[in-house]
Amino acid sequence: MFVPAAAPQSPKFARGARVWAARSTVSALSLAVALAGLVFAAHGARADSSSSFVSMVNSARSAHGLAGLSVSSDLSAAAR
């Protein structure tokens, strides 16, 4: 069976390919760490942010003479 020889590569091309591969790997790892951090931050902030949001909405409503809103525990459980 005949196997053609690989074309010789210049050291400059090989170095460029290694640099590109290293940068791609670092970029992919950085993106993965950032996304993981966002997921954990969003997961931990759900209860605090929802109660804070309802509190701010109720403050704005009361400033305009409207009754406050309440949170349905059934709907909140279904949303999570």
Side-chain angles (χ1 to χ4, degrees):
M1 175 179 205
F2 175 74
V3 178
Q9 294 181 351
S10 69
K12 185 176 182 181
F13 177 77
R15 180 181 168 270
R18 285 193 306 268
V19 169
W20 182 83
R23 286 182 182 167
S24 297
T25 302
V26 169
S27 296
L29 288 173
S30 298
L31 180 62
V33 168
L35 288 176
L38 287 175
V39 167
F40 288 125
H43 181 67
R46 278 188 190 155
D48 294 337
S49 65
S50 63
S51 62
S52 175
F53 177 75
V54 172
S55 177
M56 288 188 294
V57 168
N58 284 338
S59 294
R61 289 178 61 86
S62 67
H64 290 90
L66 299 172
L69 302 175
S70 62
V71 177
S72 169
S73 60
D74 294 336
L75 292 177
S76 294
R80 291 188 180 139

